[in-house]
Amino acid sequence: MLLPLGASLALGSLAQTCLGSSIPRTTPCSSLTVTPPEGATLINATATERYNVTYDGPTYNGVARSIDICDVEVFLTHGDAGDAVRFSIYLPLTGWNGRWQGTGGGGFAAGGFDFELVPAVSSGYSAGATDAGVPLDGNTDVWYNSTQLVDNFVYLSFHEMAVLGKDLSEKFYGKRPEYSYWFGCSTGGRQGMSEAQRYPEDYDGIFAGAPAINWDKLAMADYWPLTAQDEGGDPVSICKLGAIGNASIDACDLLDGAADGLISNPLKCHFDAKSVVGTEVQCDGSTTTITERDAIVWTKIRDGFKDENGDFLWYGLQPGANYQVQAIQPGFLVSIQWIRDFLLQNPSLDVSHVNQTELVGLFHQSVSDFGGLWGTDNPDLSAFSARGGKILTWHGWADDIISPLGTLDYWQRVVDLAGGQEKTDDFYRVFMAPGLGHCGNGPGPQIPTDNLAPLVEWVEKGKAPESIFFSGNGQSRNICKFPKELQYSGSGNVSDAGSWECV
């Protein structure tokens, strides 16, 4: 079945920088032929010139201008699996900058299509997206038990997309892309890290925002706030959880030297929620009082998923994050789907109230049965590094879906295996953004308009970024390369990036 276009939570990229003059096409669009990647069989392919293609709506990867493209639509299958994987490869009719860009997805949707492709082509890239053969609405009921579709989604389809995209670019323009880049956030970030780990030859540069690596652990830990809510009483309202969170910001705001409403490094915030027990807050037009249980629930969510003995299993949300998505029924849908469909293999099951003992058991099942395939947390990036590959990651300290500590856990394991931070900095750099939510949003400065620009500079000119400029919500910051953090300089407007330094 051929699936329609859809949108998903994923981020794409852009960089208008040209390698020289734009490269003209040498083959008519309608004459293009598709060579299936190894192990795949072609179902159908069309190549059509389209003019004045636009995307109406917010984008996270630059301005979506009107573009003229050769739109190559490809459908592949694998053996007798019966899958039909869609690939959209957009080739600009004019102004190609000699680069290829792969774009990622979000949640259980493998790609964002025009949401990312139009801005990417607007910046001169040939670009691609794929649905991995699964629904773009994120529904997993129809594919959780298909080995081929799972493989497609976890790692295979976006590798095949890179093969197809670079080959079609060469056929259309008469030369292969000189550089290839990936950009994605969340699932798109995990996809990029999978490329570096599994197929290090696919991309020269990878920008992986808030990557959903450690999938087998984080998918379970994202359910933990619901369990913490159910243990020992009625659920705590989001109003009370938010009030405690605001108190944590007030308590730790000045740790970076300025009262800006943001915590520059939550790892230094040792706020005790019990300190606000007895405080009256306004919720839904009435006065209520924060109780000891309210404080306990907030602390359990912050401290992360633990077993019945108090042993750590995975990281929690940090002070400053919004607990709405995970801690209030019905909870985070991706975690619900993971437990219901993949672990218990019963799409009709109600898993809205899983207790701690049950959740611990499911966590260990998730790690043992799915970690090897889904985890995408192999710290050995030596093959990618050896060929000169570069990875940039940003992650918001206020991420309300993927704990930023999971990214730092992975970064530290890469550092340990690579032989230290200095060696790791040669190919992998992480930037932690105060007040940034999941792939954007949150009260802090927002992600760059041009996320690939610093990566292109690093890959093509050897200029490794020490900071990345974020701006929004009336504030700007030069986000520091971890482990450095922002500190107020002591003078200047606290809302301006120039008043802060990396220490």
Side-chain angles (χ1 to χ4, degrees):
M1 179 177 68
L2 305 186
L3 300 172
L5 279 172
S8 67
L9 293 176
L11 299 182
S13 60
L14 42 261
Q16 187 61 44
T17 311
C18 290
L19 298 173
S21 59
S22 63
I23 300 167
R25 47 185 165 146
T26 60
T27 302
C29 178
S30 59
S31 299
L32 286 174
T33 58
V34 173
T35 303
E38 183 179 355
T41 302
L42 181 65
I43 298 175
N44 184 47
T46 60
T48 307
E49 289 191 10
R50 296 172 58 200
Y51 297 89
N52 301 315
V53 178
T54 61
Y55 176 80
D56 296 325
T59 60
Y60 298 91
N61 58 336
V63 178
R65 302 180 180 89
S66 176
I67 58 173
D68 301 331
I69 57 171
C70 174
D71 177 2
V72 188
E73 297 291 319
V74 180
F75 290 86
L76 300 180
T77 191
H78 303 84
D80 58 0
D83 59 329
V85 184
R86 178 189 174 193
F87 302 86
S88 290
I89 309 298
Y90 282 11
L91 306 169
L93 296 182
T94 59
W96 185 49
N97 63 16
R99 303 182 180 100
W100 157 258
Q101 181 186 145
T103 66
F108 282 118
F113 288 83
D114 279 15
F115 166 64
E116 303 167 298
L117 294 180
V118 174
V121 174
S122 296
S123 297
Y125 290 87
S126 56
T130 179
D131 68 0
V134 305
L136 288 171
D137 63 5
N139 179 18
T140 56
D141 293 4
V142 296
W143 63 273
Y144 70 90
N145 57 357
S146 167
T147 299
Q148 184 63 59
L149 291 175
V150 167
D151 286 348
N152 290 349
F153 181 83
V154 173
Y155 69 91
L156 183 59
S157 289
F158 38 98
H159 161 64
E160 292 178 333
M161 179 178 71
V163 174
L164 285 170
K166 287 190 275 190
D167 181 61
L168 285 166
S169 296
E170 182 176 15
K171 289 174 178 175
F172 193 55
Y173 301 110
K175 62 174 291 185
R176 287 185 70 79
E178 190 164 348
Y179 295 99
S180 295
Y181 294 93
W182 176 273
F183 186 89
C185 190
S186 194
T187 284
R190 185 197 65 78
Q191 292 167 326
M193 298 307 295
S194 174
E195 285 289 88
Q197 294 167 23
R198 291 177 180 267
Y199 302 102
E201 297 296 324
D202 280 357
Y203 289 96
D204 302 295
I206 292 170
F207 206 115
I213 53 176
N214 313 296
W215 178 276
D216 51 314
K217 302 180 183 70
L218 78 87
M220 300 305 303
D222 281 0
Y223 188 98
W224 167 244
L226 279 188
T227 297
Q229 284 273 44
D230 280 348
E231 300 285 321
D234 293 332
V236 181
S237 71
I238 190 61
C239 177
K240 282 188 170 184
L241 292 173
I244 299 173
N246 290 337
S248 75
I249 295 175
D250 292 341
C252 298
D253 191 359
L254 287 173
L255 292 176
D256 57 17
D260 61 339
L262 304 174
I263 304 174
S264 290
N265 183 358
L267 295 176
K268 293 182 175 179
C269 180
H270 304 298
F271 171 71
D272 182 0
K274 290 184 178 180
S275 66
V276 294
V277 170
T279 301
E280 292 185 343
V281 296
Q282 292 294 314
C283 290
D284 298 324
S286 61
T287 301
T288 186
T289 302
I290 294 176
T291 67
E292 183 174 1
R293 182 175 181 276
D294 299 336
I296 290 173
V297 169
W298 187 92
T299 301
K300 283 184 176 181
I301 296 172
R302 178 197 62 188
D303 291 350
F305 184 19
K306 297 180 180 180
D307 66 16
E308 303 91 330
N309 298 318
D311 293 329
F312 171 82
L313 295 176
W314 201 245
Y315 302 98
L317 303 179
Q318 295 305 290
N322 186 342
Y323 288 4
Q324 172 76 46
V325 173
Q326 294 189 15
I328 304 299
Q329 289 285 2
F332 184 41
L333 179 58
V334 168
S335 290
I336 300 294
Q337 292 174 285
W338 183 249
I339 293 172
R340 184 191 65 202
D341 295 350
F342 292 91
L343 298 184
L344 301 179
Q345 303 215 340
N346 187 346
S348 63
L349 193 65
D350 180 4
V351 295
S352 57
H353 297 282
V354 178
N355 65 38
Q356 185 175 22
T357 299
E358 293 169 334
L359 194 64
V360 169
L362 290 167
F363 175 88
H364 291 302
Q365 178 191 348
S366 182
V367 172
S368 62
D369 293 354
F370 295 90
L373 178 62
W374 284 79
T376 322
D377 59 353
N378 182 357
D380 185 358
L381 300 174
S382 57
F384 185 73
S385 171
R387 65 174 297 271
K390 311 296 184 186
I391 303 172
L392 290 184
T393 287
W394 47 243
H395 205 139
W397 276 120
D399 195 314
D400 57 341
I401 292 179
I402 298 177
S403 174
L405 299 185
T407 289
L408 296 185
D409 181 289
Y410 177 76
W411 174 83
Q412 187 61 60
R413 289 186 285 125
V414 174
V415 168
D416 293 344
L417 190 63
Q421 181 187 328
E422 185 175 350
K423 292 182 178 179
T424 303
D425 278 351
D426 287 341
F427 64 91
Y428 178 37
R429 295 183 174 214
V430 172
F431 300 80
M432 304 301 295
L436 181 70
H438 185 62
C439 298
N441 299 312
Q446 297 298 293
I447 59 177
T449 300
D450 188 343
N451 285 286
L452 276 192
L455 184 59
V456 170
E457 288 284 298
W458 191 11
V459 169
E460 299 180 19
K461 299 181 181 179
K463 298 179 180 179
E466 295 295 326
S467 63
I468 298 178
F469 184 74
F470 281 45
S471 180
N473 291 323
Q475 305 176 78
S476 63
R477 297 286 187 278
N478 291 307
I479 303 301
C480 312
K481 175 178 66 69
F482 190 81
K484 289 187 176 182
E485 62 189 73
L486 285 166
Q487 186 74 24
Y488 181 57
S489 66
S491 62
N493 189 332
V494 297
S495 297
D496 295 339
S499 302
W500 296 80
E501 53 192 13
C502 293
V503 296

